[in-house]
């Protein structure tokens, strides 16, 4: 563990001194993780790219402040979350009205692997439609609810860890998660009923 | 009732297998005896099942290879913007205290001055074309506006042709018969989305530098350009409605005129630098 910590600190120091190659190494190691975390938060590949690149730019600018207390990946996660929440706070209602809803951007831009067993075109369309609905339901969450749900559900983080990154208590994490799940249950009621019936069977 | 309340609080931890062993056993035992809690947990499990079907998009290897190139480009743009305006350092620590103090003291002057400049600019729209008096007014306006960095001036140079294309477009000049026989394909302005996207990124990066000064005139203009570029990058480019909305926005906000006013000052200063020759001893 110390070896990794020292290595990360050395890399960070080199980036702080303006070494772009060291920065490239960090980006190569973390870009997929941060991109997909950004995708989980934003729901679109374009926004994920913009957000993740913003994160790396911020990291580049403030690499001197990285002190190795947390792992570099955790530090980047924190920047991703803070940037996402800041963007949501700053975005004015005027600009938001010009944005296409999450589902439209998903339908036009993103490519998914077909769900296993979904060989027929109908099944593929159904699967794609489900992705749209899931993203729509996620879009109904507040930024903080989405952040908490994403970290708990898609990133598999414990409540304590989520609280630490967001700088909130574990109780608040649970409360946000509970609200997020209630909203998702409402938005995905159709699928839930089908699944509940299947489970009873 | 109290037990059910406590069990409900544990449901998400149980869902993600994060309950300690003993608590897990008590939790499961309770569900066997309480239909209400069992039902609620079943619904949570079903939700989890649905959410587990959420997929992440597959990004190609080509995309990942180009990821760092895009980042490099953005960092280069930022570096270039900051090199020409060293006062606008992204690192607050680099700014000396006296700079910060000076900005604090003079802020009261620049904000009302910028507001006054905005008012004068608005009034001078008609006067601008009316001859020497109008030109004098514009000159006074320009004098009150702070320095435009070369990077922002270059951005205006890049944005202006796009705005002009929209502002001057009419179906007649595009070759439509004028009898209404044109289709959607004819009634559109041919600005590639990739170009718009590039301008948007440029705008957003430069805004960060602009945001650090007190030039409200420039900041507002950059905000409005960003909104326009955002709309254009998200719009269906081949719809007449988009084209008309954009034309109206450009006209209502006097975007071209405002860019021209700010650029005039910059161009004038550049010209002075080029023609100035120190005395040779």
């Amino acid at each position: 563990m110390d070896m990794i910590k020292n290595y990360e600190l050395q890399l960070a120091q080199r980036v702080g001194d303006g070494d772009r190659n060291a920065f490239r190494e960090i980006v190569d190691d973390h870009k997929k993780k941060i991109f997909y975390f950004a995708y989980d938060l934003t729901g679109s590949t374009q926004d994920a790219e913009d957000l993740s690149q913003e994160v790396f730019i911020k990291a580049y600018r403030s690499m001197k402040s990285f002190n190795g207390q947390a792992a570099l990946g955790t530090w980047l996660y924190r920047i991703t979350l803070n940037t996402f929440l800041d963007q949501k706070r700053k975005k004015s209602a005027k600009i938001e009205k010009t944005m296409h809803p999450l589902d439209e951007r998903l339908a036009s831009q993103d490519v998914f692997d077909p769900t296993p067993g979904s060989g027929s075109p109908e099944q593929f369309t159904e699967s794609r439609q489900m992705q749209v609905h899931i993203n729509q339901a996620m879009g109904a969450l507040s930024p903080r609810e989405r952040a908490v749900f994403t970290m708990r559900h898609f990133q598999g983080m414990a409540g304590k860890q989520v609280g630490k990154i967001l700088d909130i208590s574990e109780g608040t994490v649970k409360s946000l998660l509970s609200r997020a799940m209630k909203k998702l249950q409402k938005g995905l009621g159709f699928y839930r009923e089908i699944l509940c019936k299947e489970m009873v069977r | 009732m109290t037990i059910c309340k406590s069990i409900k609080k544990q449901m998400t931890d149980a869902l993600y297998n994060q309950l300690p062993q003993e608590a897990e056993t008590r939790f499961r035992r309770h569900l066997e005896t309480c239909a209400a809690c069992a039902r609620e947990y079943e619904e949570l499990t079903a939700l989890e099942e649905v959410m587990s079907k959420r997929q992440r998009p597959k990004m190609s290897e080509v995309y990942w290879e180009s990821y760092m190139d895009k980042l490099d480009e953005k960092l280069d743009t930022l570096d270039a913007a900051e090199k020409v305006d060293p006062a606008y350092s992204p690192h607050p620590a680099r700014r000396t205290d006296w700079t910060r103090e000076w900005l604090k003291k003079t802020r009261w002057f620049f904000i009302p001055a910028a507001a006054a400049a905005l008012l004068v600019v608005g009034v001078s729209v008609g006067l601008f074309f009316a001859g020497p008096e109008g030109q004098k007014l514009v000159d006074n306006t320009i004098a009150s506006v702070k320095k435009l960095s070369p990077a922002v001036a270059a951005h205006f140079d890049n944005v202006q042709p796009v705005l002009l294309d929209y502002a001057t477009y009419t179906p007649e000049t595009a070759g439509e018969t004028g009898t209404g026989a044109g289709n959607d394909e004819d009634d559109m302005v041919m600005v590639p989305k990739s170009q718009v996207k590039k301008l948007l990124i440029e705008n957003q990066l430069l805004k960060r530098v602009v945001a650090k000064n007190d030039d409200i005139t420039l900041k507002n203009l950059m905000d409005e350009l960003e909104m326009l570029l955002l709309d254009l990058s998200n719009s269906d480019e081949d719809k007449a409605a988009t084209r008309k909305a954009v034309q109206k926005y450009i006209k209502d906000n006097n975007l071209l005129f405002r860019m021209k006013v700010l650029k005039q000052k910059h161009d004038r200063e550049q010209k002075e630098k080029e023609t100035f020759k120190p005395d040779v001893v």
Side-chain angles (χ1 to χ4, degrees), chain A residues 144 148 159-160 162-164 167-179, chain B residues 9 12-13:
Chain A
R144 291 210 322 163
V148 167
K160 211 171 181 177
V162 173
K164 218 172 173 181
D167 202 21
I168 54 178
S169 71
E170 224 178 311
T172 309
V173 170
K174 282 191 176 167
S175 166
L176 284 167
L177 188 62
S178 171
R179 279 187 352 219
Chain B
K9 283 185 182 173
T12 49
D13 283 340

Side-chain angles (χ1 to χ4, degrees), chain A residues 20 23-24 27 31-32 35-36 39-40 45-46 49-50 52-54 56-57 60-61 94-95 98-100 110-115 127 130-131 134-135 138 149 152-159 174 177 181 184-185 188 191-192 195-196 199-200, chain B residues 9-10 12-13 15-16 18 39-40 42-59 61 63-68 70-76 78-79 82 90-91 197 201 204-205 208 223 226-227 230-231 234-236:
Chain A
R20 274 289 179 103
F23 180 61
R24 277 193 193 96
V27 173
K31 65 187 176 201
K32 289 188 183 180
F35 174 88
Y36 282 118
Y39 177 80
D40 290 338
T45 49
Q46 192 53 64
E49 179 180 299
D50 292 342
S52 62
Q53 297 231 320
E54 173 89 17
F56 283 117
I57 289 173
Y60 181 76
R61 295 287 179 204
K94 254 197 295 186
I95 289 174
T98 69
M99 301 294 282
H100 283 213
D110 300 333
V111 175
F112 298 90
D113 280 331
T115 315
S127 166
M130 193 182 207
Q131 301 308 312
I134 289 175
N135 259 9
M138 291 279 294
F149 183 81
R152 280 292 251 143
H153 186 88
F154 299 123
Q155 305 293 324
M157 293 183 192
K174 282 191 176 167
L177 188 62
M181 289 183 124
L184 289 170
Q185 280 174 325
L188 297 168
Y191 295 107
R192 192 166 46 84
L195 283 168
C196 271
M199 282 163 71
V200 163
Chain B
K9 283 185 182 173
Q10 293 179 337
T12 49
D13 283 340
L15 193 67
Y16 296 119
Q18 283 168 0
R39 170 94 186 132
E40 190 168 329
E42 188 187 294
E43 288 184 359
L44 269 185
T45 311
L47 173 67
E48 202 271 333
E49 180 74 24
V50 172
M51 294 308 290
S52 70
K53 293 188 190 310
R54 179 182 184 262
Q55 293 169 329
R56 286 170 168 176
K58 188 176 172 58
M59 310 308 287
E61 277 313 307
Y63 173 80
W64 290 120
E65 276 160 30
S66 70
Y67 188 89
M68 186 66 218
K70 288 179 197 173
L71 204 46
D72 267 331
E73 214 177 288
K74 287 178 185 174
L75 284 171
D76 288 340
L78 264 176
D79 281 344
E82 279 149 19
H91 300 288
K197 187 81 192 166
I201 292 170
Q204 288 171 334
L205 288 170
R208 269 191 260 165
D223 283 342
E226 184 196 13
M227 273 190 58
L230 207 55
D231 258 351
N234 287 330
S235 72
D236 295 322

